[in-house]
Amino acid sequence: MAETVTPTVDDTPPPASTRRERRGWYIYDWANSAFQTTVITVFLGPFLTTVAELAAGCELGADSCDGSVYPLGIKIAAGSYYPYLISLSVFLTVFVLPVIGAIADRSAHKKRLLGGAAFTGAGATILMAFVTGDRYLLGGALFLIANISFGAAVVVYHSFLPQLGGPDERDGISSRGWAIGYLGGGLLLALNLVAITLLDEGDNPQRTLDLARWSIVSAGVWWAVFTLVPLRWMREHPSAAALAGGNGNVVTDGFRQLGRTMREIKAYPLTLFFLLAFLVYNDGIQTVITLASQYGTEELRLEQSTLIITILLVQFLAFGGALSLGALARRIGAWKTVLLSLVLWTGVIIAAFRLPAEAPVPFMILGAGIGLVLGGSQALSRSLFSQLIPVGKEGEYYGFYEISDKGTSWLGPLAFGLVFQLTSSYRVGLVSLLIFFVVGFLLLAAVPIRRAIVAAGNTPPRVL
């Protein structure tokens, strides 16, 4: 019988990654970005809002609706239903994602976790085909399952990043993954745009609603099919704890490890401070992404085709923006580049507030500006955080990180929903998001980033 060797964190370097493996990692961004773009950013907000308005007794295709729905007996304005759903889904992920991360760190089979979460989310998205008529509760339940599964899969996906490259390589790897994700999400959205252009009947709101539903379903199919590629190409990178775990129960061990981390996390206060800054500013970014289509349809009264073209513009410009900001980060550092992007995001909010109604061209121009800063700010935040994680605890820390990443923001949608309920104005709700960018900038600027990386036991990149 071969001798069992128990590696330690100090003397076991991470396995070298291959080009094929990195490509597989990029492809998962291609796969799941369809959910983020087609579902979260474009179709689901207006779709579920319309379904909720039907349940509230409003006429399909009406210009405005002041009706309410009563999930669990709670009175909610139909226009606030979707923002509240987002907040609820993130409240639930606060409990789920750190546990998933801890389990991933203790598991020698992270690819299985990735596949299980991805296929669950994709399946729930495909089941949106049954959200017809006024079934807003079914739509809400499926969204909760899909969004939580989406976040769980991304936690596991992110945890592979530190094993794919050294400190000076991760900004580039993360930026390329994010850029390829924008291409994937943009391609499916373009196909949906073609389908809507060919099949929509402008005077038939029911046909428009049906096309939106099937576009959502297509994202679930895309997500499931392309997830097969990373599951085949990527390799397992089990941590020392996973290899030493023997035959223990990985779920039980994961809960125990999470408990230990929660007690020991105070040893890394600078990592926590960065995480706080990220949770604040990225909550604002995610809220803009998530509610952009609802703002465009309800406040600016733009056609759905205009929204889709704008989001397509964002997607393809974000491909170049992610690569460009990644190149800028190599010159001035990821930390400074993210701070610069937050200044630009503040300008985006101010410009969006001043947009005229029923004017598609200014909306598209603003979308182009968003595309140039969107991918870089997120990709570089992801790679920067990877430098601040203690070795062997990538999954757990990315579990906390994912609480405000890729569609899982909660304070922003909650603020937006509350302000709309009080004022019936989407513009005023949008202005409330400025606080997230201003406070997030100040918090991030206060992080001594090089000292934070060293305190986590890692080697800083040459340029920060």
Side-chain angles (χ1 to χ4, degrees):
M1 181 179 294
E3 180 181 359
T4 301
V5 178
T6 303
T8 64
V9 169
D10 294 329
D11 62 12
T12 304
S17 65
T18 64
R19 181 178 298 179
R20 176 185 171 92
E21 180 181 12
R22 290 192 294 272
R23 287 175 177 172
W25 191 79
Y26 300 152
I27 290 297
Y28 185 71
D29 232 324
W30 169 285
N32 75 0
S33 290
F35 177 82
Q36 173 68 19
T37 304
T38 292
V39 179
I40 299 295
T41 306
V42 178
F43 289 105
L44 191 63
F47 175 75
L48 277 185
T49 299
T50 300
V51 174
E53 288 173 348
L54 289 174
C58 301
E59 184 179 349
L60 184 61
D63 291 335
S64 62
C65 174
D66 297 325
S68 299
V69 290
Y70 297 85
L72 303 178
I74 303 171
K75 182 179 180 180
I76 293 177
S80 295
Y81 178 64
Y82 180 59
Y84 286 165
L85 270 179
I86 298 170
S87 296
L88 176 59
S89 74
V90 180
F91 175 76
L92 296 175
T93 63
V94 169
F95 303 99
V96 174
L97 299 192
V99 174
I100 292 294
I103 292 172
D105 287 337
R106 303 290 298 186
S107 173
H109 304 287
K110 288 201 295 186
K111 290 200 300 181
R112 296 180 186 175
L113 289 176
L114 176 64
F119 291 136
T120 299
T125 306
I126 293 170
L127 289 176
M128 285 283 185
F130 297 99
V131 180
T132 57
D134 60 357
R135 296 177 180 173
Y136 76 101
L137 289 176
L138 176 61
L142 289 173
F143 166 71
L144 291 177
I145 295 171
N147 210 34
I148 293 171
S149 299
F150 177 87
V154 171
V155 167
V156 182
Y157 168 70
H158 284 345
S159 72
F160 282 92
L161 177 58
Q163 283 79 45
L164 296 178
D168 293 307
E169 300 173 300
R170 292 179 201 164
D171 288 344
I173 292 172
S174 183
S175 295
R176 284 191 292 274
W178 221 287
I180 288 173
Y182 281 119
L183 284 184
L187 178 58
L188 179 64
L189 190 58
L191 295 174
N192 283 321
L193 174 60
V194 171
I196 289 174
T197 301
L198 294 176
L199 301 176
D200 196 17
E201 301 170 357
D203 57 349
N204 186 352
Q206 182 61 56
R207 183 64 171 268
T208 302
L209 189 65
D210 290 340
L211 288 172
R213 183 173 66 253
W214 288 111
S215 295
I216 292 169
V217 171
S218 73
V221 175
W222 180 284
W223 184 7
V225 170
F226 284 105
T227 294
L228 296 173
V229 177
L231 293 181
R232 182 173 179 83
W233 288 3
M234 290 173 61
R235 297 186 300 164
E236 299 285 4
H237 288 276
S239 65
L243 292 173
N247 296 320
N249 187 302
V250 68
V251 176
T252 302
D253 289 346
F255 273 100
R256 290 173 179 168
Q257 178 60 42
L258 179 61
R260 286 193 293 269
T261 297
M262 293 296 290
R263 293 191 297 271
E264 298 168 1
I265 202 168
K266 60 184 178 181
Y268 305 101
L270 296 179
T271 299
L272 284 178
F273 198 73
F274 174 89
L275 185 60
L276 174 63
F278 173 79
L279 293 180
V280 172
Y281 72 73
N282 199 55
D283 207 293
I285 293 174
Q286 293 303 317
T287 304
V288 173
I289 295 170
T290 303
L291 299 178
S293 60
Q294 188 176 8
Y295 181 74
T297 56
E298 302 295 329
E299 180 67 32
L300 303 181
R301 300 189 295 278
L302 298 173
E303 297 292 333
Q304 191 172 68
S305 59
T306 298
L307 298 177
I308 297 175
I309 292 172
T310 303
I311 297 302
L312 274 176
L313 187 65
V314 171
Q315 291 296 117
F316 291 114
L317 285 176
F319 171 78
L323 296 180
S324 298
L325 288 185
L328 180 62
R330 288 196 294 271
R331 297 176 62 89
I332 69 173
W335 179 61
K336 296 185 185 71
T337 305
V338 174
L339 286 171
L340 174 62
S341 74
L342 295 182
V343 175
L344 298 176
W345 271 110
T346 302
V348 164
I349 295 297
I350 295 173
F353 173 77
R354 298 175 63 87
L355 284 178
E358 300 179 358
V361 174
F363 186 78
M364 292 180 184
I365 293 174
L366 181 65
I370 290 175
L372 293 176
V373 299
L374 175 60
S377 58
Q378 295 179 302
L380 294 174
S381 295
R382 176 171 67 180
S383 59
L384 193 57
F385 187 64
S386 75
Q387 314 279 2
L388 304 174
I389 301 173
V391 175
K393 296 187 177 181
E394 294 84 3
E396 289 180 66
Y397 277 75
Y398 271 118
F400 294 111
Y401 177 93
E402 185 59 22
I403 289 171
S404 184
D405 190 29
K406 280 202 168 184
T408 53
S409 55
W410 67 286
L411 282 176
L414 180 61
F416 191 96
L418 286 173
V419 170
F420 173 79
Q421 184 144 346
L422 293 173
T423 66
S424 297
S425 172
Y426 286 100
R427 290 185 189 270
V428 178
L430 188 70
V431 171
S432 69
L433 302 181
L434 276 176
I435 190 68
F436 294 94
F437 295 101
V438 174
V439 173
F441 176 92
L442 295 175
L443 291 174
L444 182 61
V447 177
I449 198 70
R450 187 173 297 275
R451 183 151 55 93
I453 294 173
V454 172
N458 298 319
T459 301
R462 288 171 295 176
V463 181
L464 281 172

